Amino acid sequence: MTDIEGINQTPPPVAEDGSPSAEPLSKRIRRLVMQLGPSRMVATILFLIVATLIARFSWQMPLLGDAERALYDARATVMAPHVGQDKRIVMITYNDETLFNTGIRSPLDRTLLARALENIDQMGAKAIGIDIAFDSPRPDDDLLKAQLRSMHTPTWLAYAEQGSNPNTIFYEQQKFLESFLADVRTDKTKPTSVLFRTDNDSVIRNWPDRPKNLPPLMANAMAPIDPAYADYQGNIRFLVPARAEKGQEEPVFANIPIDTFAMPMDAEMRAGFSDLIKDRYVLIGGDIIDNDQFNTPLSRFTDPLTGLHETMIGLEVHAHMLAQQLDGAWARPLSAPALWVLALLVVLAGGLTSLIDMRARWVALAFVSQMVFFAAFPFWMQGRGIDTTTLPAAGWALAWLFGYAAVGTAARTIGARQRAFAQSALGKYLPADVAAQIMRDPERLSLSGEKREIFCVFTDLEGFTRLSHAITPETVARLLNEYLDRLSDVVLDHGGTIDKFVGDAVVAFWGAPLSLPGDGQRAADAAQAMYEAGEKFRVDMAEGVPPLGMTRVGLHVGDAIVGNFGGEDRIQYTALGDSMNTASRLESANKSLKTGVLFSGEAAARSERGDLIPMGRVTLRGRAQPVDLFTPRPDLTQEQRNRVAALVAAHAAGDKQAYVTSATALAKEFAEDAAIMFLIERLNQTTKGESYVLS
């Protein structure tokens, strides 16, 4: 007791104004070490060791590795050079239109390639790289082989083997490829490796390794390379196009359809096209939807023009690598000792910050300054040409917190546990009402679901896919965004939950996460309003684009499993079940039945709408159980709707005389109404309530 009293009697330091002064940092550290017990000292040291390991190896750790990759992608995208079109490299590609015109999809038309090579070879290219694996036979192989043997331009042909690409080529293909390459090999025509390596999240960020059994990598083969970087495996420098003006940009690498060069050319015509080829590196490959597409750091963020997460064809990845090699833009790696020193400094900074004995505003300033440093310093390093694919930015932030918590907890000699700092995933595109529930009860974010009765709505814009091939990508993006915005407003205005967008389709439901009286009426009203919004969209957007199709809508009510589904790193609040499938098939049935909106009988019974007319009993595609269908017809009078209902009722009852009388009168009255005329036609083909089967 005496010792304690002696300590307590020591007066605290006093400032000149009479207020207690800040205790020197060195004194606080000495007091901390002296007053810590052995067990707490060991625990604190272990905690600091863990923090240091996090600051050094976070790229290799679960979850943190995902965060590091996301942060790197942000750095690579934000700091990517904005450049004009690179005139040194040109891509010549088979695109989907080429495949359609030739009628040959796989293997690609080799006659077309042979003719293109014949012309390109005479246009003065520096080198040609062909990212097409000739791993299976075609009838026109001899023509292509003859052309490859006669090439005067250095030409490099794609080579792959099972050992390094087990998922892309099998044994027989490899043997055929090796035989093909052996047949055409000359001093000018040689094989090249097209190997890529992706990270665990299937994103290409770095140059690949160079297995000794493979020929030189395409970029290394096509252009001279500094021997010091012959085995460079650092980050790929991806370029982004400089904007000419808002909404317009020129691609970094010209992409010309191969058809352009495959046509017969005389010397004069060839000279006219030579400006596209002369003194350039030519890359030939595919630019085909859903084929040879890769995610890059640029894919993580939406494209400002299309609003989509764009992938990159393999040929373009080779182009970026080749441009980086030509520029000598090799990123400088961070050495292991440097990373260890930085890790220790980060942990030390966190620990010392927890010991600062100053006014709150200065402590806050120190904290904010260090956080700004952690956020900005990696971007600065990326911009200075340093390879940050091993820089643990998220690990630094976490390690700093660990250091702060370990030393701060020890300094206060209490056993408070570090508060969880990770934010829950509210920013994963959940509906606003779902987000509000989760904020009140975070456990709702768990990966689970519950059975609920919901009203499901599916929509589709007729002919939009075909239309998208007839207009520019910019116009597609503008139309699609405007269209989805209008339909989304309808759903939200009627209290619905937007499940997802699938291209131009909208999927929504009512009854979850909150089930309210009148959900059936709101869903039915929304379905009709979405159809009307689609019709108004057709009128508003008619100028300057090809005609737009109508919006088809399907509504059904039934049980579904509703909740959060996905993985630990990415979830989606959605509904699963047969009711969703039925609503989708109702939407599709509109096309056959010549209607715009279709309700199932169950949904119609709870819609509280007085403008519905029956559309008969139909067996939907892929379904065994028939469904009674209804469609809203606010354009008809109640008396007209009653007569259509009487027609269907007479058919269902087997009252042939009443049915024939009604059908004859309605056919005359609605001769121009496709939906009602087709209803009569279907009823004529069935008997006494029999279901009409959609084939």
Side-chain angles (χ1 to χ4, degrees), residues 52 55-56 334-349 373-374 377 392 396:
T52 305
R56 176 64 182 86
L334 288 168
S335 66
L339 290 171
W340 276 113
V341 170
L342 289 170
L344 291 170
L345 289 176
V346 166
V347 175
L348 181 62
F373 172 81
F374 291 142
F377 182 60
W396 285 353

Side-chain angles (χ1 to χ4, degrees), residues 54-75 199 201 205 300 378 388-399:
I54 290 173
R56 176 64 182 86
F57 297 111
S58 58
W59 273 88
Q60 289 78 43
M61 295 181 179
L63 299 182
L64 270 178
D66 295 334
E68 297 293 5
R69 284 185 280 271
L71 290 173
Y72 172 77
D73 292 347
R75 295 192 294 271
D199 291 338
D201 56 353
R205 297 184 177 89
R300 186 175 293 273
T388 64
T389 54
T390 58
L391 188 146
W396 285 353
L398 183 58

Side-chain angles (χ1 to χ4, degrees), residues 367-430:
F367 172 79
V368 171
S369 298
Q370 291 178 78
M371 291 301 104
V372 170
F373 172 81
F374 291 142
F377 182 60
F379 283 86
W380 178 83
M381 296 183 76
Q382 181 80 21
R384 298 282 292 180
I386 295 174
D387 186 352
T388 64
T389 54
T390 58
L391 188 146
W396 285 353
L398 183 58
W400 186 94
L401 289 173
F402 270 45
Y404 184 94
V407 178
T409 299
R412 293 163 181 81
T413 64
I414 60 173
R417 298 177 180 178
Q418 183 187 20
R419 182 180 179 182
F421 71 95
Q423 296 291 334
S424 59
L426 288 182
K428 297 186 177 180
Y429 306 103
L430 299 179

